[in-house]
Amino acid sequence: MATAFIRTIILYFLLIVGIRVLGKRQIGELEPIELVMALLISDLAAVPMQDFGIPLINGVVPIVTLLALSMLLSFFSMRSIRFRRLICGNPTTLIRDGVIQQDALRRNRFTLDELIEELRAQGVTNLDAVKYAVLETNGQLSVLLRPEESPATPRQLGRPVKDDVYLPTVLVNDGRVLKNALADRGLDAAWLERTLHERGFRSAREVLLLTVDGAGKLLCVGKEGGA
């Protein structure tokens, strides 16, 4: 039992490293080579977890080899456009200037029903409103609407726009004070204590979330029941 416990922990953390190497993507956003790598690694890890007769090293070595190969392929993909196109492929235009490219649909085994479904998922119900639809290498469909169908921007309307969009910084997360975030904002514990008291909180442990943005706007959410 102890052996199974230890082997599982080792392989689990090894898989976490593998996922980190593959990058911060969801499964549906992986390139074909990344998806194959993820499937192979998970399959290789399952075998030594279930069969104790197989030495653990026999499962670790193939996984490490695949991770090294993934990093090597990523390096060459970054350095060579031709290699990247060979491994990942090229985006395919399924709708060009409002015209459905039927040959492109057949080459990618993409049916009309799938195309319409993808358009609906992006809030497009009228094909005439689409100027371009591009099937990306990760399987996602990018849709560009005709100018007359796209929402008008303030720039197009000739209206001045005030830049009031700021990225908020989390200062308290589920009762825990993020001291590095406070320091980055030029704030200290005294400011935090004073701010919480002004909002009726005795300590940060009673706060679920506290953020501040570049304009100094605060968002403070207390825990339910004051716990």
Side-chain angles (χ1 to χ4, degrees):
M1 182 64 69
T3 301
F5 180 73
I6 295 173
R7 288 164 67 104
T8 301
I9 290 178
I10 293 174
L11 291 170
Y12 173 74
F13 282 106
L14 186 59
L15 286 178
I16 290 178
V17 173
I19 296 300
R20 290 295 300 273
V21 169
L22 290 178
K24 297 181 179 180
R25 300 201 198 188
Q26 299 178 3
I27 293 298
E29 299 175 347
L30 293 179
E31 299 286 355
I33 184 175
E34 296 170 334
L35 179 59
V36 170
M37 193 75 65
L39 294 175
L40 285 175
I41 289 176
S42 61
D43 188 55
L44 287 171
V47 175
M49 281 185 185
Q50 298 172 354
D51 190 350
F52 299 153
I54 299 177
L56 182 60
I57 192 67
N58 289 0
V60 172
V61 170
I63 292 176
V64 173
T65 302
L66 284 176
L67 293 178
L69 179 61
S70 176
M71 296 178 67
L72 185 64
L73 292 177
S74 297
F75 173 78
F76 284 119
S77 295
M78 293 288 292
R79 299 297 296 270
S80 173
I81 295 178
R82 291 183 179 179
F83 184 81
R84 183 163 62 247
R85 289 176 177 172
L86 176 65
I87 296 297
C88 301
N90 292 315
T92 303
T93 303
L94 301 184
I95 298 179
R96 185 188 301 275
D97 289 327
V99 179
I100 297 176
Q101 306 298 299
Q102 300 181 34
D103 289 341
L105 287 175
R106 284 192 289 268
R107 286 198 307 271
N108 289 274
R109 298 178 180 85
F110 209 84
T111 66
L112 275 175
D113 291 337
E114 291 172 328
L115 177 61
I116 294 173
E117 179 182 346
E118 289 290 337
L119 292 176
R120 281 201 306 267
Q122 300 194 37
V124 180
T125 57
N126 183 10
L127 284 174
D128 291 335
V130 180
K131 186 171 185 179
Y132 294 104
V134 181
L135 183 63
E136 307 293 354
T137 57
N138 59 10
Q140 302 294 317
L141 188 70
S142 299
V143 179
L144 300 177
L145 300 178
R146 295 182 181 277
E148 63 270 20
E149 299 290 345
S150 302
T153 65
R155 174 178 292 181
Q156 291 172 329
L157 296 175
R159 296 179 179 176
V161 178
K162 180 181 179 182
D163 185 4
D164 57 356
V165 178
Y166 301 97
L167 183 65
T169 300
V170 178
L171 303 180
V172 178
N173 185 340
D174 198 10
R176 292 181 291 272
V177 178
L178 305 183
K179 296 181 180 179
N180 290 338
L182 273 175
D184 290 340
R185 282 293 184 182
L187 305 173
D188 54 20
W191 174 90
L192 178 62
E193 183 178 358
R194 183 172 63 255
T195 300
L196 293 179
H197 285 171
E198 290 174 355
R199 283 159 176 77
F201 297 103
R202 291 172 295 180
S203 70
R205 289 190 295 272
E206 299 178 355
V207 177
L208 179 68
L209 177 66
L210 175 65
T211 67
V212 61
D213 62 17
K217 182 180 179 181
L218 290 172
L219 170 66
C220 188
V221 180
K223 292 185 178 181
E224 293 182 354

